[in-house]
Amino acid sequence: MRRLPHLKAILLVMAFVAASCGGDLVDGGSPSTGAPPEDPAPRISLDRTSWTVIGGTVDGAPFLPVGGRTATLSVDGARASGSTGCNTFQARISITDAGVVSLRDFAVTEIGCEPPVMEFEGQLLKALGEIDRFSWDADRLTLSSGDESTQVDLVAAAPTADVALTSVTWRLTGFTAGDAVSSVLAGTKPTLVFETGAARGNGGCNDFAAAVSLDGNGLMISELVHTKIGCGEAVMQQEAEYFRMLGEASAWLVRGDTLTIITADGRSLTFMAEAPHPAEESAVAWVTALAEGDLEAAAALLAPVSLAYVNERGGLSSFASELAEGWSAWARSPDRRVYSLAGSFPNRDSVTAAVFVGTVEQEGMRERRAAAIVLVESHGTFLVDPFTEAGRIGFLVPRAEFIDRVAPEVAFELAMPVGFEVLLFLDTSSLPATVDSGGTDRLTVNAESEPPPHPGEHVLTAVHLDSSGRVGAQSVIFHTYP
């Protein structure tokens, strides 16, 4: 996270509830000059409140959130956190008996977004650094500077359901020990994903996998193994602490989109649920519409080429049986995980694939599978393109002798007709590949993983393109063991 050394502490001077002029208006802008009431109303607390930014002004210039992005501010005990619509921020918050609220030690993640989003972020953070008073009327909160040249307008956030523990990728945002709160190092992105009986993720440098036991809100993480990549000293120290605290976990708690993992001695790790990529949302919406029998909604999510293909053959209804046994089955997967992969073919546009991983019942068989679907982007919207696969490809991956142990070099192979290009992804990382036609009418694509996959489940995805521009994708699951 990047520190904001010049971000002024936010002081919100909280007054008593007014007895007139609106009843429930709270104004922290001007202290009363009269005698204090004999029986003042209780001081209002910001604890456990959540707000959505709807706009404001900074140095007299107005600013508004960018369409499709949500900026927030939440308070939970001694922790304040929020989102700028791109990056997340957090701070320590204290509230005095006199009603003075102070936010300090701001830290902000370093994700890059589109220029308009980054401009709004800069304006919002600058405004938060300049306000020193507030007014709170029902479900509206206004933060402002003394000269009123800077203002942030917020409304009470609608209650949101708690995110399911196993439905998302959790991104580590901080470590807490007693009153000390530390942020994650800038440029690192430690993550955690829960699956049935297992967990995986990245420590900021190395990938890891572990066994997980859940008992209500009780949690035990054991048998943690990780790759052996070397990074900078500070990164490795942070990763070691992260792995150590995971191994000492005793409980978990999800509130909204925040996960807290608590150790037996009271320390904690704080995570935030990562927002799904728009391509993932479109892919999930498509399989859900198919499962619900809403063929009109499913057709609206199809890319033009796939839509033309199905319309020429009687529409989606003519594919009802195939779709019920195929893509729509993913809507009913009890442990489904979805992630997106993006890459570019040489001298061509980029391509995105959504990968589904989980237990699914298809063709009368219930087993753990992986499947990939290509999506195309049109005016900022991702449309699924499942009916334009560029031919079937044959996987020989990995070779049988590598399935039951981790070898120094794990080789992957696949074959396809000449004239195709291919992108390979192992889990979520791209693999450099070589192509050899061998003077035949088929290509052999070879790739090696460096470092080798850690013990556990892995997904290899191939996105392929033919000379006519048709794109397809396939995924396979394999396991490696110590």
Side-chain angles (χ1 to χ4, degrees):
M1 287 192 173
R2 66 179 186 275
R3 295 285 171 181
L4 302 181
H6 303 298
L7 185 63
K8 191 170 100 181
I10 300 175
L11 298 178
L12 307 179
V13 183
M14 306 187 71
F16 298 116
V17 177
S20 60
C21 300
D24 56 356
L25 174 67
V26 179
D27 188 349
S30 302
S32 172
T33 57
E38 294 181 2
D39 187 17
R43 177 171 60 86
I44 294 178
S45 171
L46 289 178
D47 189 23
R48 304 290 293 275
T49 62
S50 296
W51 306 90
T52 299
V53 179
I54 59 174
T57 59
V58 60
D59 297 335
F63 63 90
L64 293 170
V66 177
R69 304 281 181 156
T70 302
T72 61
L73 173 67
S74 297
V75 179
D76 188 356
R79 179 176 177 269
S81 61
S83 169
T84 66
C86 176
N87 284 283
T88 59
F89 63 88
Q90 58 181 316
R92 294 188 63 185
I93 184 169
S94 62
I95 304 175
T96 70
D97 291 339
V100 176
V101 179
S102 173
L103 277 79
R104 61 188 185 277
D105 300 333
F106 272 78
V108 186
T109 56
E110 295 185 315
I111 301 170
C113 293
E114 299 86 350
V117 179
M118 300 306 294
E119 180 181 2
F120 168 79
E121 176 178 290
Q123 292 168 320
L124 175 61
L125 294 176
K126 187 173 189 295
L128 290 175
E130 294 179 357
I131 63 98
D132 58 12
R133 60 187 63 199
F134 82 103
S135 62
W136 184 356
D137 185 2
D139 62 352
R140 188 180 181 100
L141 176 68
T142 301
L143 312 175
S144 59
S145 61
D147 61 5
E148 298 184 352
S149 64
T150 296
Q151 180 172 303
V152 181
D153 299 314
L154 309 97
V155 294
T160 57
D162 293 340
V163 174
L165 180 68
T166 59
S167 66
V168 298
T169 295
W170 296 100
R171 186 182 74 253
L172 182 67
T173 58
F175 301 78
T176 301
D179 292 332
V181 179
S182 347
S183 301
V184 173
L185 292 172
T188 65
K189 186 182 176 182
T191 58
L192 177 63
V193 177
F194 287 97
E195 298 171 338
T196 304
R200 61 178 177 82
N202 184 275
C205 181
N206 286 279
D207 293 332
F208 71 90
V212 169
S213 175
L214 294 170
D215 182 11
N217 282 95
L219 170 66
M220 183 173 69
I221 299 176
S222 59
E223 302 175 28
L224 191 150
V225 293
H226 58 82
T227 55
K228 303 295 184 181
I229 302 172
C231 295
E233 182 179 356
V235 175
M236 298 306 290
Q237 289 177 348
Q238 174 182 271
E239 180 173 88
E241 179 64 12
Y242 178 39
F243 290 164
R244 182 164 44 251
M245 291 182 68
L246 286 178
E248 297 172 359
S250 63
W252 65 275
L253 173 67
V254 171
R255 180 178 294 158
D257 61 356
T258 300
L259 165 68
T260 303
I261 290 181
I262 305 163
T263 66
D265 60 2
R267 293 171 297 141
S268 64
L269 298 166
T270 304
F271 301 79
M272 180 168 288
E274 287 197 325
H277 190 280
E280 299 165 26
E281 294 180 314
S282 293
V284 170
W286 189 64
V287 300
T288 301
L290 292 174
E292 295 175 349
D294 190 347
L295 298 184
E296 183 177 347
L301 290 165
L302 284 176
V305 174
S306 284
L307 184 60
Y309 177 87
V310 299
N311 285 341
E312 289 173 0
R313 292 157 178 78
L316 283 176
S317 58
S318 64
F319 294 83
S321 297
E322 293 89 341
L323 293 172
E325 287 289 343
W327 286 111
S328 65
W330 286 99
R332 298 182 292 273
S333 172
D335 56 354
R336 182 190 68 201
R337 175 167 53 89
V338 185
Y339 57 80
S340 56
L341 303 171
S344 298
F345 293 108
N347 303 316
R348 296 177 184 263
D349 292 337
S350 61
V351 63
T352 301
V355 179
F356 291 80
V357 185
T359 304
V360 66
E361 186 170 346
Q362 293 175 317
E363 300 176 349
M365 298 181 61
R366 183 180 177 85
E367 60 183 349
R368 191 158 179 81
R369 294 187 180 181
I373 183 171
V374 171
L375 295 100
V376 297
E377 187 175 3
S378 175
H379 306 292
T381 300
F382 282 87
L383 300 173
V384 296
D385 204 3
F387 296 108
T388 60
E389 283 199 357
R392 291 292 175 178
I393 57 179
F395 281 100
L396 300 173
V397 50
R399 295 201 300 269
E401 61 265 32
F402 294 119
I403 293 179
D404 57 2
R405 68 180 188 274
V406 176
E409 294 182 349
V410 179
F412 307 91
E413 298 179 0
L414 60 90
M416 63 178 60
V418 171
F420 285 67
E421 298 177 58
V422 65
L423 294 169
L424 289 180
F425 298 89
L426 180 62
D427 297 331
T428 58
S429 300
S430 61
L431 289 177
T434 58
V435 178
D436 180 17
S437 67
T440 68
D441 61 352
R442 295 187 68 81
L443 295 174
T444 299
V445 182
N446 303 288
E448 292 183 353
S449 174
E450 180 58 43
H454 58 70
E457 179 183 273
H458 295 279
V459 179
L460 181 71
T461 300
V463 181
H464 41 101
L465 175 76
D466 72 3
S467 57
S468 300
R470 295 180 302 163
V471 182
Q474 292 188 9
S475 288
V476 294
I477 290 178
F478 68 94
H479 289 79
T480 56
Y481 304 93

